Amino acid sequence: PVLTETMLDTIQKINAQGTTILLVEQSLSIIADRVSPIYEIEEGKIIPHIRARPAPHPASIMAEGSR
């Protein structure tokens, strides 16, 4: 848990500086409150989220930093 929290804090700091981040994670909720916007890839379709909703099942996500 400590390593995960440190990693997520680092991702949030990098994203806040305007750097685009590509993160593949099964749990959308783990990153949803830390970066924006988020794009979920579900069944081959890209679904944009301004603030993500909990994923109904594991999904890959792509989080992109602000431009």
Side-chain angles (χ1 to χ4, degrees):
V2 174
L3 181 59
T4 300
E5 192 65 31
T6 301
M7 179 191 70
L8 293 173
D9 287 344
T10 302
I11 289 169
Q12 184 175 12
K13 288 175 186 173
I14 292 168
N15 183 247
Q17 295 173 354
T19 303
T20 299
I21 299 169
L22 174 63
L23 176 68
V24 178
E25 172 57 52
Q26 289 184 349
S27 175
L28 189 59
S29 63
I30 197 169
I31 198 72
D33 293 334
R34 297 180 182 263
V35 298
S36 184
I38 292 176
Y39 298 91
E40 177 181 1
I41 301 172
E42 185 175 326
E43 297 179 6
K45 296 179 183 174
I46 298 174
I47 305 163
H49 299 278
I50 293 174
R51 280 292 168 209
R53 61 173 166 65
H57 55 76
S60 298
I61 64 166
M62 176 174 50
E64 180 179 323
S66 305
R67 294 190 183 238

